[in-house]
């Protein structure tokens, strides 16, 4: 039996967001060549999942985003989340910390602790993680521009606690290339920024082998306007750039590839997302084995956090977002994710309350405990439609990666703004499609009702906490050994000039309570700053 | 008409400001964009340099009141009289507050691009 096209069945053609025409019906003929026929989960190329038993042994990790004004409040929140059964912590930082300004810098004014916790020195880190067992909880640091400093702090804190860092686990986002495309917390020029990421990979491969120093983010690229194929393709190009850098340092692919992880976005067409992940997982495995000659299976694993994307949620009829997020969670689980995070339903206009954060947590827990989602691996494997679409995604992502090659690679494509230009144009087209009603969105352009407009809310800015943060910094600057601090800063500059791996010098500096700003400024002196190409 | 769109402060959310830039461009309006993380002083310098008719500040991190006050001070200090508007994740109660500070208008997220374009065009018409 052949599958039938829309034309043959005399129905209107349908295209998904990635531009593939979708047949009204699929049959076994559509997947005769599919490689998954003979593939078991846990077997290369891992289309069906990276582990043989997946959630039968252990469900995906639930990791919600958290981070409040001060390290003290953040610590309280962490303990609250842990009491509620969360096994991973995802830490948010304020913008000065992300951009490399200390709390006492004029550019930090009004921003201290606003969108996450404020970190000036190792002291703040020690307060935030007080009584958090680094052995039992996996901590993910959502930090990029200053990631090398924050990872250094995490390692320094563990060392000071007497923790054997060869057993230290955790994740840092530390994907600077996507910051140039979306999110925007870049600091240094593109090539130097990549160098710093590679420094962390090299250091961790040698001394902190269980730590995942990079989580490559398709997520923000998609949120900036990329379609699902581009999301995967650009993320893979970025991951390859870091991989190439690490290989140039003489580390073997099998010594670090298994520690690379990915962060992807979920919104839109359910089947398209699932096929995106299955096809992407297969392609990534092939890239690592065929192009990079990895021996170990674990090097070929596409490990991911895949969560509900903010881009799919709406400010209109916000309770609908609870339903959307439940679908996104289902997509994520059906796609074989390792870790899941959901946006809260009110996140489109406010910072989630404890109540809305709890609904997200319960959404995932209901799925795990009531829906049988963990009972069998890759439950959609063998579906004519899903397998056909999976094959299509593998090929389309590969083709899209060639487009980046034609732009002379991802570093060049980002430095010149090529990707930013194409992604922002798509964001405009998408927005116009929504505003004109061509892209249906419930509550926004269809099934709308007159509703009270939802009040946008922010955590009230805590000026007192901000002032206390500045005071604390002042005291630390007085108390610390400033001769040693200067020595450490000079050392970072000279190591940067000599093109050395900066991790050891930064770990030494944070232990002497050098500030994030001081370290960033030392690096700026040597590396300069990124000049943003202006495209829209 | 010449519009300068800008990203003051440390906020990196630039999807919205770029969408608006596209929309204005398509409506035949000359658009300039500062790029991310500019100080108010840098933004005003650029507005003077290109002789902008309107300055748009895009802010999604919640810092709009702080930055609007800085904008007001900077314009007063230099005795400049620009038409300026704020866009972003702005609570309804802050829209009046922004106008009190001195912004000519404020647009919360969810505002249609066409609405902002029409507003800009009406400003130009009233000027002439």
């Amino acid at each position: 039996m052949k599958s039938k096209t829309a034309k043959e069945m005399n129905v209107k053609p349908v295209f998904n967001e990635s531009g593939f025409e979708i047949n009204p019906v699929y049959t076994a003929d559509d997947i005769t060549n599919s490689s998954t026929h003979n593939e078991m989960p846990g077997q290369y190329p891992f289309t069906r999942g990276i582990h043989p038993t997946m959630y039968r042994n252990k469900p995906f990790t639930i990791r919600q985003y958290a981070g409040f004004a001060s390290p003290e409040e953040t610590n309280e929140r962490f303990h609250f989340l842990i009491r509620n059964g969360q096994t991973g912590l995802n830490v948010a930082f304020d913008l000065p910390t992300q951009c490399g300004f200390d709390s006492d810098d004029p550019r930090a004014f009004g921003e201290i602790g606003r969108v996450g916790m404020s970190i000036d020195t190792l002291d703040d880190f020690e307060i935030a993680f007080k009584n958090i067992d680094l052995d039992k909880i996996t901590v993910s640091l959502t930090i990029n521009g200053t990631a090398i400093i924050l990872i250094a702090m995490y390692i320094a804190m563990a060392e000071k606690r007497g923790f054997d860092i060869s057993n230290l686990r955790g994740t840092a986002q530390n994907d600077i290339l996507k910051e140039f495309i979306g999110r925007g917390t870049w600091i240094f020029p593109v090539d130097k920024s990549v160098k710093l990421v590679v420094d962390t990979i090299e250091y961790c491969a040698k001394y902190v082998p269980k730590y995942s120093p990079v989580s490559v983010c398709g997520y923000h690229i998609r949120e900036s306007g990329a379609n699902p194929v581009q999301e995967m393709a650009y993320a893979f190009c970025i991951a390859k750039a870091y991989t190439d850098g690490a290989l140039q340092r003489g580390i073997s692919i099998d010594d670090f590839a298994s520690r690379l992880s990915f962060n992807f976005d979920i919104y839109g067409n359910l089947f398209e997302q699932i096929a995106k992940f299955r096809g992407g997982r297969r392609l990534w495995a092939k890239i690592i084995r065929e192009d990079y000659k990895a021996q170990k299976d674990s090097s070929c694993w596409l490990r991911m956090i895949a969560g509900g994307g903010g881009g799919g949620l709406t400010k209109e009829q916000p309770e609908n977002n609870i339903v959307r997020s439940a679908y996104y969670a289902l997509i994520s689980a059906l796609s074989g994710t390792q870790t899941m995070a959901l946006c809260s339903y009110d996140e489109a206009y406010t910072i989630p309350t404890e109540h809305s954060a709890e609904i997200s947590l319960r959404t995932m827990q209901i799925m795990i405990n009531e829906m049988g989602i963990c009972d069998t691996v890759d439950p959609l494997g063998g579906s004519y439609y899903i397998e056909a679409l999976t094959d299509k995604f593998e090929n389309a992502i590969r083709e899209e990666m060639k487009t980046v090659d034609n732009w002379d690679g991802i570093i060049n494509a980002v430095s010149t703004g090529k990707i930013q230009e194409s992604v922002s144009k798509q964001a405009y087209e998408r927005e116009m499609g929504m505003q004109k009603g061509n892209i249906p969105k419930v509550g926004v352009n269809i099934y709308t009702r007159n509703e009270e407009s939802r009040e946008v809310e922010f955590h009230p800015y805590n000026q007192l906490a901000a002032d206390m943060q500045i005071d604390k910094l002042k005291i630390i600057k007085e108390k610390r050994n400033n001769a040693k601090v200067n020595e450490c800063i000079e050392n970072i500059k000279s190591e940067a000039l000599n093109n050395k791996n900066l991790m050891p010098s930064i770990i030494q500096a944070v232990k002497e309570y050098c500030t994030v700003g001081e370290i960033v400024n030392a690096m700026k002196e040597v590396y300069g700053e990124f000049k943003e190409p202006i495209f829209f | 008409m010449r519009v300068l769109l800008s990203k003051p402060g440390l906020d990196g959310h630039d999807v919205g400001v770029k969408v608006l830039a596209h929309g204005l461009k398509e409506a035949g309006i000359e658009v300039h964009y500062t790029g991310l993380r500019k100080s108010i002083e840098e933004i005003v310098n650029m507005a003077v340099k290109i002789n902008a008719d309107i300055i748009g500040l895009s802010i999604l991190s919640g810092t709009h009141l702080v930055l609007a006050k800085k904008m007001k001070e900077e314009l007063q200090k230099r005795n400049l009289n620009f038409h300026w508007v704020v866009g972003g994740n702005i609570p309804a109660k802050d829209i009046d507050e922004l106008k009190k500070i001195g912004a000519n208008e404020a647009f919360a997220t969810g505002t249609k691009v066409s609405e902002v374009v029409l507003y800009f065009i009406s400003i130009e018409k009233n000027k002439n």
Side-chain angles (χ1 to χ4, degrees):
Chain A
M1 256 185 307
K2 280 242 173 263
S3 77
K4 293 199 162 132
T5 61
K7 206 172 161 192
E8 285 162 350
M9 296 188 83
N10 204 19
V11 288
K12 261 200 338 201
V14 166
F15 294 87
N16 67 12
E17 201 186 336
S18 300
F20 310 156
E21 185 171 356
I22 305 302
N23 290 345
V25 65
Y26 286 82
T27 70
D29 279 4
D30 290 298
I31 57 168
T32 43
N33 296 323
S34 175
S35 67
T36 47
H37 288 308
N38 303 312
E39 199 186 311
M40 286 290 280
Q43 268 179 9
Y44 179 86
F46 308 106
T47 317
R48 307 196 58 196
I50 63 172
H51 300 301
T53 54
M54 290 298 290
Y55 309 144
R56 269 301 269 266
N57 275 342
K58 188 168 119 336
F60 47 84
T61 303
I62 293 174
R63 184 182 286 157
Q64 293 292 91
Y65 203 50
F68 288 83
S70 66
E72 291 81 358
E73 282 173 274
T74 305
N75 184 260
E76 259 175 55
R77 181 72 171 189
F78 284 165
H79 284 287
F80 166 81
L81 292 171
I82 291 167
R83 277 199 306 278
N84 275 274
Q86 197 160 319
T87 50
L89 295 175
N90 207 347
V91 187
F93 296 96
D94 70 358
L95 286 166
T97 306
Q98 294 190 52
C99 298
F101 300 109
D102 287 336
S103 301
D104 59 359
D105 188 302
R107 300 191 66 165
F109 181 76
E111 292 281 11
I112 301 162
R114 195 186 275 277
V115 299
M117 95 169 136
S118 166
I119 298 285
D120 291 311
T121 69
L122 183 62
D123 183 63
D124 297 319
F125 231 77
E126 290 168 330
I127 295 167
F129 289 96
K130 198 173 165 198
N131 295 329
I132 305 272
D133 190 345
L134 303 180
D135 231 357
K136 297 226 167 68
I137 289 285
T138 57
V139 178
S140 174
L141 308 174
T142 307
I143 192 76
N144 296 278
T146 52
I148 191 167
I149 303 169
L150 280 279
I151 295 172
M153 284 187 183
Y154 196 68
I155 292 170
M157 174 178 70
E159 280 182 341
K160 282 182 74 180
R161 285 190 191 181
F163 199 99
D164 175 6
I165 62 164
S166 67
N167 283 320
L168 187 66
R169 288 173 190 278
T171 312
Q173 193 164 87
N174 195 22
D175 170 14
I176 198 64
L177 279 170
K178 69 93 174 46
E179 293 289 319
F180 295 100
I181 303 172
R183 210 172 171 283
T185 68
W186 39 259
I187 300 173
F188 311 106
V190 182
D191 56 337
K192 300 301 180 201
S193 300
V194 172
K195 182 248 182 234
L196 293 171
V197 174
V198 176
D199 281 358
T200 62
I201 296 174
E202 183 185 22
Y203 187 88
C204 289
K206 287 181 181 159
Y207 308 108
V208 205
K210 290 178 183 162
Y211 195 83
S212 298
V214 180
S215 175
V216 177
C217 297
Y219 183 98
H220 308 84
I221 299 173
R222 171 115 170 94
E223 292 282 313
S224 296
N227 70 29
V229 169
Q230 293 167 325
E231 174 190 5
M232 301 306 275
Y234 297 162
F236 288 173
C237 289
I238 288 172
K240 282 183 68 179
Y242 302 146
T243 301
D244 292 338
L247 293 173
Q248 279 166 18
R249 303 273 177 101
I251 323 167
S252 117
I253 184 81
D254 283 313
D255 284 343
F256 68 91
S258 66
R259 301 322 307 168
L260 291 179
S261 63
F262 290 85
N263 178 347
F264 291 117
D265 202 0
I266 296 175
Y267 71 83
N269 186 311
L270 180 139
F271 303 102
E272 185 177 8
Q273 308 309 311
I274 296 170
K276 167 181 89 176
F277 290 125
R278 295 176 88 252
R281 191 158 51 226
R282 184 197 290 161
L283 176 59
W284 182 246
K286 288 182 180 174
I287 289 170
I288 293 294
R289 175 136 306 157
E290 290 170 13
D291 300 351
Y292 288 108
K293 312 291 176 215
Q295 301 291 315
K296 288 199 303 203
D297 270 0
S298 60
S299 301
C300 306
W301 290 348
L302 182 100
R303 292 185 308 131
M304 62 181 185
I305 176 169
L313 305 186
T314 65
K315 193 170 147 188
E316 296 83 356
Q317 303 178 26
E319 293 80 2
N320 294 348
N321 294 331
I322 299 175
V323 181
R324 289 193 182 96
S325 294
Y327 284 124
Y328 299 159
L330 180 67
I331 290 170
S332 184
L334 291 174
S335 305
T337 193
Q338 280 57 60
T339 302
M340 198 182 296
L342 294 179
C343 292
S344 296
Y345 76 90
D346 50 359
E347 208 167 308
Y349 55 94
T350 187
I351 291 183
T353 59
E354 273 189 11
H355 178 61
S356 65
E358 188 185 65
I359 291 174
S360 300
L361 190 59
R362 296 289 178 256
T363 302
M364 293 181 269
Q365 289 165 337
I366 287 168
M367 200 169 59
I368 290 171
N369 293 287
E370 300 179 19
M371 300 291 150
I373 201 79
C374 303
D375 295 351
T376 196
V377 184
D378 188 31
L380 296 187
S383 146
Y384 304 139
Y385 178 31
I386 289 289
E387 294 295 358
L389 209 52
T390 298
D391 291 348
K392 210 146 185 180
F393 257 97
E394 180 190 349
N395 294 329
I397 298 165
R398 206 188 269 281
E399 284 307 307
E400 190 69 41
M401 289 174 75
K402 285 186 191 151
T403 310
V404 179
D405 291 340
N406 291 338
W407 287 331
D408 291 330
I410 190 82
I411 293 180
N412 191 58
V414 161
S415 303
T416 56
K418 282 267 188 323
I419 289 190
Q420 295 90 314
E421 188 183 9
S422 83
V423 163
S424 88
K425 190 158 170 281
Q426 284 173 209
Y428 175 65
E429 283 159 5
R430 186 183 149 75
E431 182 60 30
M432 285 300 113
M434 296 251 285
Q435 295 192 359
K436 289 179 181 152
N438 303 331
I439 301 172
K441 196 78 189 171
V442 172
V444 177
N445 55 28
I446 45 172
Y447 311 115
T448 54
R449 61 170 151 75
N450 284 331
E451 54 180 330
E452 273 175 54
S453 74
R454 300 288 169 147
E455 183 55 296
V456 178
E457 262 183 80
F458 292 96
H459 281 298
Y461 187 62
N462 191 336
Q463 188 62 50
L464 192 71
D467 292 342
M468 275 169 63
Q469 183 70 20
I470 296 171
D471 288 345
K472 213 164 44 170
L473 177 59
K474 200 174 153 210
I475 292 168
I476 284 176
K477 280 184 172 173
E478 281 162 9
K479 264 188 6 199
R480 65 186 184 176
N481 183 335
N482 280 300
K484 278 233 167 96
V485 164
N486 292 337
E487 215 175 276
C488 286
I489 293 297
E490 289 310 313
N491 188 35
I492 289 172
K493 285 187 211 164
S494 96
E495 296 280 275
L497 269 172
N498 294 318
N499 204 23
K500 293 277 174 55
N501 187 321
L502 293 191
M503 274 299 275
S505 57
I506 295 177
I507 291 175
Q508 190 191 11
V510 300
K511 281 184 178 166
E512 294 297 337
Y513 296 91
C514 291
T515 67
V516 172
E518 288 164 344
I519 295 169
V520 165
N521 288 339
M523 285 151 70
K524 274 185 189 165
E525 240 179 73
V526 180
Y527 294 148
E529 288 178 68
F530 176 60
K531 302 261 178 303
E532 185 186 0
I534 303 298
F535 278 114
F536 52 82
Chain B
M1 173 167 50
R2 200 172 290 137
V3 173
L4 176 65
L5 296 181
S6 65
K7 286 295 299 180
L10 306 182
D11 169 37
H13 293 93
D14 61 358
V15 178
V17 73
K18 286 182 174 178
V19 164
L20 180 61
H22 274 285
L24 291 168
K25 199 165 73 173
E26 247 173 44
I29 294 169
E30 184 183 333
V31 191
H32 297 253
Y33 170 50
T34 59
L36 293 178
R37 264 187 272 154
K38 300 297 175 202
S39 68
I40 292 292
E41 196 187 346
E42 285 168 325
I43 291 165
V44 172
N45 285 345
M46 190 160 164
V48 170
K49 197 171 142 202
I50 66 165
N51 192 19
D53 297 293
I54 298 181
I55 305 174
L57 307 175
S58 161
I59 308 158
L60 286 98
S61 68
T63 331
H64 44 274
L65 295 177
V66 177
L67 289 166
K69 278 177 201 146
K70 275 198 183 168
M71 181 73 177
K72 178 73 186 170
E73 285 163 16
E74 184 70 19
L75 294 177
Q76 257 173 356
K77 191 175 83 187
R78 295 164 65 167
N79 203 16
L80 290 166
N81 189 22
F82 280 106
H83 190 102
W84 59 285
V85 302
V86 183
N89 213 5
I90 298 163
K93 63 176 167 36
D94 287 353
I95 295 207
D96 285 339
E97 191 62 32
L98 284 168
K99 288 185 188 166
K100 259 187 235 158
I101 291 169
N104 294 83
E105 192 51 82
F107 300 96
T109 43
T111 310
K112 287 194 171 170
V113 173
S114 54
E115 202 179 303
V116 185
V117 171
L118 287 175
Y119 170 83
F120 281 18
I121 291 171
S122 76
I123 297 304
E124 178 69 0
K125 275 200 188 130
N126 290 343
K127 241 170 99 179
N128 293 337

